[in-house]
Amino acid sequence: MEKQHGMSKEEFRYPLERKKEFQDFVNLQLSCPSKGHLDVELNEVGRQQAAAVADRLSRETAISAVYSSDLKRALETAQIIATKCSVPEVIQDPNLRERHLGGLQGYIFHEAVKLRPDAYQASLSDRTDQEIPGGGESLDQLFNRCTSSLQKIGMKHIGERVVVVTHGGVLRALHKRAAPTEGRQRKILNSSINIFHLSSRDEWIIKAWGDINHLNQNNTEFLEADSGGDNTTHYASG
């Protein structure tokens, strides 16, 4: 059976200087077995989801730039958005990649319990500095690289609207950066729009989360492809 590779999306915006320089930003994330850095392509469902997002964004405030993880599933989505929104190129950034899952990559979780118990147990650890055996990242490593990347993008585009296409684990890290005391992680939906405002004073605000109106208006069955992102990437509150 064909795997459902759809994505989730996030946006950011800078109103005008007096109101703090903020920015909008977009992320997309996929479903199915533990992919991590595996370079999985979109399938037809994912392309339809990307087209629905692109159509919506093309009818909103003009986009100044499109950034993306360099993994194919994110990059193809970003290219669909850039084309529809008349942005000439997609800027690739490896720091927007999904968390490297080490020995878990390519396994469904019930398989990993038996075949890679060391990696599986490491992925469940509450320690944010716990790396996953097989070359995998810790949550701290993921958090530091992707939040630093987004901050740099924001500082390059003060006063502009920017789309950034990335992955579920990255979204969770960005959520933690913007809302570190929020007790419960919000659900990540495939092809949803999540709006962050970034300030030049190092302030991050979540303005919208999990917006899927563009899917509801087109074809709600798109949502059936959603698995809520990379379930190995979790953060304790505080």
Side-chain angles (χ1 to χ4, degrees), residues 113-174:
V113 173
K114 297 178 180 178
L115 300 175
R116 288 305 305 262
D118 56 339
Y120 178 77
Q121 289 301 321
S123 75
L124 300 179
S125 174
D126 289 331
R127 288 177 45 196
T128 58
D129 64 348
Q130 174 66 61
E131 297 179 10
I132 299 178
E137 291 179 287
S138 69
L139 293 176
D140 288 343
Q141 290 168 332
L142 171 65
F143 180 91
N144 290 336
R145 71 167 163 84
C146 66
T147 57
S148 175
S149 174
L150 187 57
Q151 189 68 38
K152 290 175 183 176
I153 292 169
M155 292 304 99
K156 288 180 182 178
H157 295 280
I158 293 173
E160 300 175 352
R161 188 178 191 225
V162 176
V163 169
V164 176
V165 183
T166 183
H167 308 271
V170 172
L171 253 184
R172 288 187 174 89
L174 300 178

Side-chain angles (χ1 to χ4, degrees), residues 48-238:
Q48 291 175 345
Q49 291 176 334
V53 173
D55 180 66
R56 173 176 170 173
L57 292 175
S58 71
R59 292 182 278 106
E60 298 179 351
T61 306
I63 293 167
S64 299
V66 176
Y67 286 78
S68 177
S69 157
D70 61 347
L71 296 177
K72 291 176 184 175
R73 58 195 191 266
L75 183 57
E76 183 178 351
T77 304
Q79 290 167 338
I80 292 169
I81 292 168
T83 298
K84 184 70 174 179
C85 296
S86 301
V87 176
E89 66 173 339
V90 174
I91 302 168
Q92 299 179 46
D93 184 351
N95 287 322
L96 295 170
R97 285 185 174 195
E98 182 59 279
R99 182 186 182 187
H100 194 302
L101 299 175
L104 289 180
Q105 293 188 164
Y107 287 107
I108 304 227
F109 286 112
H110 74 267
E111 297 174 339
V113 173
K114 297 178 180 178
L115 300 175
R116 288 305 305 262
D118 56 339
Y120 178 77
Q121 289 301 321
S123 75
L124 300 179
S125 174
D126 289 331
R127 288 177 45 196
T128 58
D129 64 348
Q130 174 66 61
E131 297 179 10
I132 299 178
E137 291 179 287
S138 69
L139 293 176
D140 288 343
Q141 290 168 332
L142 171 65
F143 180 91
N144 290 336
R145 71 167 163 84
C146 66
T147 57
S148 175
S149 174
L150 187 57
Q151 189 68 38
K152 290 175 183 176
I153 292 169
M155 292 304 99
K156 288 180 182 178
H157 295 280
I158 293 173
E160 300 175 352
R161 188 178 191 225
V162 176
V163 169
V164 176
V165 183
T166 183
H167 308 271
V170 172
L171 253 184
R172 288 187 174 89
L174 300 178
H175 182 282
K176 182 173 175 61
R177 170 65 176 80
T181 61
E182 191 168 303
R184 184 179 179 183
Q185 284 278 318
R186 303 186 199 183
K187 186 175 182 180
I188 297 174
L189 298 172
N190 286 338
S191 298
S192 62
I193 293 178
N194 309 283
I195 301 177
F196 289 71
H197 282 190
L198 274 65
S199 165
S200 59
R201 294 185 296 201
D202 203 31
E203 180 183 9
W204 292 31
I205 298 172
I206 298 172
K207 300 297 289 186
W209 191 269
D211 184 343
I212 53 171
N213 286 332
H214 48 286
L215 298 184
N216 291 334
Q217 291 168 4
N218 285 275
N219 189 338
T220 54
E221 75 178 15
F222 288 177
L223 297 180
E224 295 176 6
D226 171 47
S227 68
D230 168 20
N231 294 325
T232 68
T233 304
H234 58 282
Y235 285 91
S237 60

Side-chain angles (χ1 to χ4, degrees), residues 5-17:
H5 299 307
M7 300 199 61
S8 111
K9 193 173 57 36
E10 166 193 13
E11 237 192 324
F12 56 7
R13 174 176 304 141
Y14 275 97
L16 295 184
E17 240 173 323

